[in-house]
């Protein structure tokens, strides 16, 4: 069991570090940071959405997404009409600059995902994501005190 714990925690931590490093390196050209990537990616792929929807898609905490959106808006990547002065209900839309950068980011992400998945066929990939999703749900339940 100790070996399983070590392998699981070390592998997950290593994957997370690699993703952050790749985001940072890939985004340096644009002057963007890792947290900005997901916002631009999802707005580019899915189109306009609210900050609340974006938080859900990104799996990021609201404060991080809010800071990212503020930066992206101030730097001309997106616009959003505030409804009743509240960002979570505002529909966020990429500007031309945001769309162009978002498309470049999406292309890089697609390339990186292809490289990261080399040697894994589609059936294995589906099973991997299904199991990762199950593990995440189980860990969230455990973290919320719903232990058996």
């Amino acid at each position: 069991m100790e070996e399983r714990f070590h392998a699981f925690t070390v592998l997950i931590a290593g994957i997370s570090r690699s993703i952050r490093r790749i985001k940072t390196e890939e985004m340096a050209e644009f002057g963007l940071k890792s947290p900005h990537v997901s916002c631009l990616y999802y707005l580019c792929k899915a189109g306009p959405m609210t900050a609340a929807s974006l938080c859900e898609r990104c799996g990021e905490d609201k404060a991080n997404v809010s800071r990212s959106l503020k930066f992206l808006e101030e730097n001309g990547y997106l616009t959003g009409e505030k409804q009743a002065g509240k960002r979570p209900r505002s529909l966020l839309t990429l500007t031309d600059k945001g769309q162009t950068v978002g498309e470049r980011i999406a292309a890089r992400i697609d390339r990186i995902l292809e490289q990261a998945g080399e040697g894994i066929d589609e059936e294995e990939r589906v099973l991997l994501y299904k199991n990762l999703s199950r593990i995440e749900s189980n860990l969230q339940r455990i973290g919320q005190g719903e232990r058996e």
Side-chain angles (χ1 to χ4, degrees):
M1 195 60 91
E2 181 180 332
E3 218 172 279
R4 185 171 149 198
F5 171 77
H6 178 74
F8 180 76
T9 57
V10 169
L11 289 173
I12 296 295
I15 289 169
S16 182
R17 274 192 308 275
S18 292
I19 289 169
R20 278 193 308 275
R21 187 181 69 249
I22 290 167
K23 280 183 176 180
T24 299
E25 290 170 3
E26 291 287 329
M27 294 307 105
E29 169 189 341
F30 303 112
L32 299 172
K33 295 181 180 173
S34 179
H36 306 139
V37 174
S38 294
C39 293
L40 288 172
Y41 177 80
Y42 287 115
L43 285 167
C44 179
K45 288 288 194 172
M49 68 180 79
T50 64
S53 295
L54 192 57
C55 282
E56 196 173 298
R57 284 211 183 212
C58 292
E60 290 280 340
D61 115 336
K62 291 177 186 177
N64 285 342
V65 171
S66 182
R67 282 189 296 274
S68 293
L69 293 175
K70 182 179 179 191
F71 172 88
L72 292 169
E73 189 170 26
E74 288 174 352
N75 288 279
Y77 292 95
L78 64 85
T79 61
E81 291 183 24
K82 293 182 180 155
Q83 296 180 2
K86 295 185 177 185
R87 162 113 24 229
R89 294 189 185 107
S90 302
L91 194 59
L92 304 167
T93 306
L94 292 176
T95 62
D96 289 341
K97 175 182 177 179
Q99 187 66 36
T100 299
V101 172
E103 288 170 3
R104 291 176 65 191
I105 287 170
R108 288 182 181 189
I109 288 171
D110 291 345
R111 177 183 46 82
I112 289 166
L113 287 173
E114 281 298 315
Q115 291 173 339
E118 285 178 8
I120 300 172
D121 66 32
E122 189 58 28
E123 186 177 313
E124 291 171 319
R125 186 181 342 275
V126 168
L127 187 57
L128 169 69
Y129 291 145
K130 179 181 176 183
N131 286 319
L132 284 173
S133 180
R134 183 177 296 143
I135 289 167
E136 181 197 24
S137 294
N138 291 342
L139 290 173
Q140 284 180 352
R141 188 184 75 248
I142 292 165
Q144 294 171 350
E146 297 178 21
R147 295 182 188 114
E148 292 184 18

